[in-house]
Amino acid sequence: MKTLSSSPWIGPVLALAGGVILAFGLPALVGDQAYLLRLATQLALLITLAIAWNLVGGFTGYPSFATAAFFGLGAYAIAVAQQAGWPVWSGFLLAAVLSALLAAPFGFAILRLRGHYFAIASLMLVTILKEVTTGWSDLTGGGMGINLPGAGGNPTAIATVALETMVILAAAALALSMVVAKGRLGFGLACIRMNETAAMGAGIDAPRLKTIAFTLSAAICGLAGATYARWIGYIDPSDVYDVMWSVRPIIAALIGGVGTVFGPVVGSIVYMAFEELMWRNLLTFGTGALGVLIALLVLLLPAGIIPGILRRRAS
């Protein structure tokens, strides 16, 4: 007989509940301090994107660089929806649906590639969407960007709502990651990561499972992009399709532990701490110093912080 503690749903439920409590508790602790509000929101955003990338790059073992593509698509989806007078909730729904609808066929096609071939193909999607967005000026504003209606209100109130939304989204992404990791999908993805040929020989439908993971990841990225657009109030192609939206989540996951549930969370916290420390104290040399610290972490803990700690405890 299963007990409550052994239920596969207890972890995701606790993650969601903790996220809701944290989302509405943090603004009260931070108050109207703009710097802390921005930092907390950026951390929640990075955690969300790192978890989304981990569904593909970690669980499945496919190094995707398409995060920025779906992030930008989600941002523009809610911006265009609000320009058309749609309710905010429908803009978020459109961001998730469009990202998933694009990811499903595109992922099914490029996930047949492996290694650096897949990485290059996924990176191409970022460039394609950026060019389409820039050229479709009647809808997206082109290179001039687009303003979101209602963004000219109280900056503190906007930042507070963005923080609450981003934290809840990060908690939902973590809960989804837990469900995937403990379920049949996670088992199939782990088999694919270890040996895809053998997994398919054992009857695992690798193309379908990889496409599901890619689609889930894209939907999360689309929602993150929509939340970011609501927070910033103005977006343009060079911002939301910046390749760093793809690179930073990968670095965070590598630091924390690729393929682990909590690795992206730990890695994002460490990355943000180093980034803020380097930026505030070294300014011009901050990026270089951050790169050196990340390289040292990868060398000392090649599997990431969480797997490294677990291995040391086991030994």
Side-chain angles (χ1 to χ4, degrees), residues 258-294:
V258 172
T260 62
V261 172
F262 291 99
V265 179
V266 174
S268 297
I269 294 172
V270 173
Y271 178 88
M272 284 295 298
F274 280 150
E275 187 177 60
E276 287 299 307
L277 179 66
M278 297 300 102
W279 181 81
R280 293 182 65 184
N281 295 294
L282 297 179
L283 296 178
T284 306
F285 303 100
T287 303
L290 177 63
V292 171
L293 285 173
I294 291 171

Side-chain angles (χ1 to χ4, degrees), residues 229-254:
R230 286 282 301 170
W231 175 33
I232 300 300
Y234 166 80
I235 57 173
D236 64 78
S238 62
D239 176 18
V240 295
Y241 289 114
D242 188 342
V243 72
M244 288 305 294
W245 293 117
S246 292
V247 174
R248 292 171 78 239
I250 297 175
I251 296 174
L254 286 172

Side-chain angles (χ1 to χ4, degrees), residues 179-195:
V179 172
V180 170
K182 293 183 178 180
R184 296 178 62 183
L185 176 58
F187 175 78
L189 296 178
C191 293
I192 293 170
R193 183 180 68 246
M194 290 185 288
N195 191 321

Side-chain angles (χ1 to χ4, degrees), residues 7-119:
S7 172
W9 295 102
I10 188 65
V13 170
L14 288 176
L16 282 174
V20 172
I21 294 172
L22 190 62
F24 294 103
L26 268 179
L29 293 174
V30 173
D32 58 353
Q33 300 183 57
Y35 169 74
L36 292 180
L37 279 171
R38 177 190 64 82
L39 187 62
T41 306
Q42 287 183 332
L43 175 58
L45 172 59
L46 181 57
I47 289 173
T48 303
L49 294 179
I51 292 173
W53 179 87
N54 195 50
L55 290 173
V56 179
F59 290 172
T60 314
Y62 277 72
S64 173
F65 282 87
T67 303
F70 301 115
F71 180 84
L73 180 60
Y76 268 96
I78 195 170
V80 171
Q82 287 203 249
Q83 286 280 355
W86 291 19
V88 175
W89 67 266
S90 62
F92 278 101
L93 180 61
L94 180 65
V97 170
L98 280 181
S99 298
L101 288 177
L102 175 62
F106 185 80
F108 185 79
I110 69 169
L111 283 165
R112 298 175 182 275
L113 304 173
R114 300 187 185 182
H116 57 278
Y117 295 106
F118 170 78

